[in-house]
Amino acid sequence: MREGRIISSETNRPVIYLVSDSVGETAEFVVRAASSQFNGGDVNIRRIPYVVDKRTIQETVKAAAESNGMIAFTMVVSDLQNYLLKEAKTHGVPVVDIMGPMLKGLSTLYGKEPKREPGLVRKLDDDYFRKVEAIEFAVKYDDGKDPRGLLRADVVLIGVSRTSKTPLSMYLAHKRFKVANVPLVPEVEAPEELYMIPAERCIGLSIDPDQLNEIRRERLRSLGLTARANYANMERILQELEYAEKVMKRIGCPIIDVSNKAVEETASVVLDMLRKGGSRS
């Protein structure tokens, strides 16, 4: 069996320098997982994040040589990779390229070279958490549950019942927009917060009365209720739509007719409005 390197650190533990052009979390996770196979993973990890210059690499290699340690890295910029490998070889420091083999394998699989752009995992993580936050927001402020959310929303959807406010809110949430929605009912005064937000951040949803009547009748049937209920009464529907139109005109918000439109179609119109209005994409 080949004799291992002599550990000379003051803590008598192996020293591993993690060099990354991003945060270095991936390298640390892999190193800790691997080191757990040796004496319970008792290793001295020193993370060197956001490495973008050769001087930092020089200093790290020197420190690793002096501590009789090793280097593991996740840098994707070829120039810095090659420089690190060259310096490590010159100073006799063991070095492990954690991402290299995977990048090579994926290059073969995709038939193209990687982007070589640092921090893409972090960007993907940020995007994911923004989406989760937007979905949680849509659930919390669905159906007018808490008017305070209207002031924090990227967009507020208003309309009578069965104009697809909730599914549209969830669709937009998956696009990372914080959406609140408010049902408009003649007997319930619209929340004052609706008149406090910029008109362009509020979008009214209208619908053809006959189509709404059919949608509501079908809804009642699915619930095992009679289609003669006031909910699906045409006179009642016209009353609700008239009230909703008054509220929308008072706000001065844009209005989308959702008649015969799939949620995806309406969402496309909303997204176009938001982008033209300068909201974030």
Side-chain angles (χ1 to χ4, degrees), residues 137 140-152 180-182 191 193:
F137 187 94
K140 184 175 182 179
Y141 298 109
D142 179 49
D143 207 31
K145 291 177 183 175
D146 186 349
R148 293 174 297 180
L150 305 183
L151 302 176
R152 296 174 47 216
N181 72 76
V182 178
E193 287 83 355

Side-chain angles (χ1 to χ4, degrees), residues 51-105:
V51 176
V52 294
D53 62 283
K54 294 181 178 180
R55 182 175 179 179
T56 301
I57 292 175
Q58 288 176 343
E59 294 173 350
T60 303
V61 172
K62 182 179 178 181
E66 292 175 351
S67 63
N68 212 24
M70 70 173 287
I71 293 175
F73 70 91
T74 55
M75 291 188 299
V76 295
V77 178
S78 297
D79 184 45
L80 294 178
Q81 275 186 357
N82 295 333
Y83 186 77
L84 173 57
L85 292 170
K86 178 182 176 182
E87 285 292 297
K89 184 177 181 180
T90 299
H91 290 81
V93 175
V95 62
V96 177
D97 180 359
I98 292 177
M99 290 185 64
M102 180 58 71
L103 288 174
K104 184 176 180 180

Side-chain angles (χ1 to χ4, degrees), residues 222-260:
S222 69
L223 296 174
L225 302 174
T226 174
R228 296 179 182 177
N230 192 46
Y231 181 67
N233 179 276
M234 181 57 79
E235 184 177 346
R236 169 65 182 183
I237 287 174
L238 292 173
Q239 180 187 4
E240 288 185 34
L241 291 174
E242 182 181 2
Y243 171 73
E245 184 179 4
K246 288 181 180 179
V247 173
M248 294 174 193
K249 285 184 177 179
R250 179 182 169 186
I251 296 172
C253 64
I255 300 173
I256 300 175
D257 186 351
V258 300
S259 303
N260 301 310

Side-chain angles (χ1 to χ4, degrees), residues 41 47 59 81 85 89 92 126 140 143 150 153 161 168 174 177-178 182 186 193 200 211 218 224 256 262 279:
R47 194 191 295 187
E59 294 173 350
Q81 275 186 357
L85 292 170
K89 184 177 181 180
D126 289 345
K140 184 175 182 179
D143 207 31
L150 305 183
S161 174
L168 182 56
H174 278 81
F177 285 92
K178 293 181 179 178
V182 178
E193 287 83 355
E200 63 271 14
Q211 184 175 350
E218 184 59 37
I256 300 175
S279 295

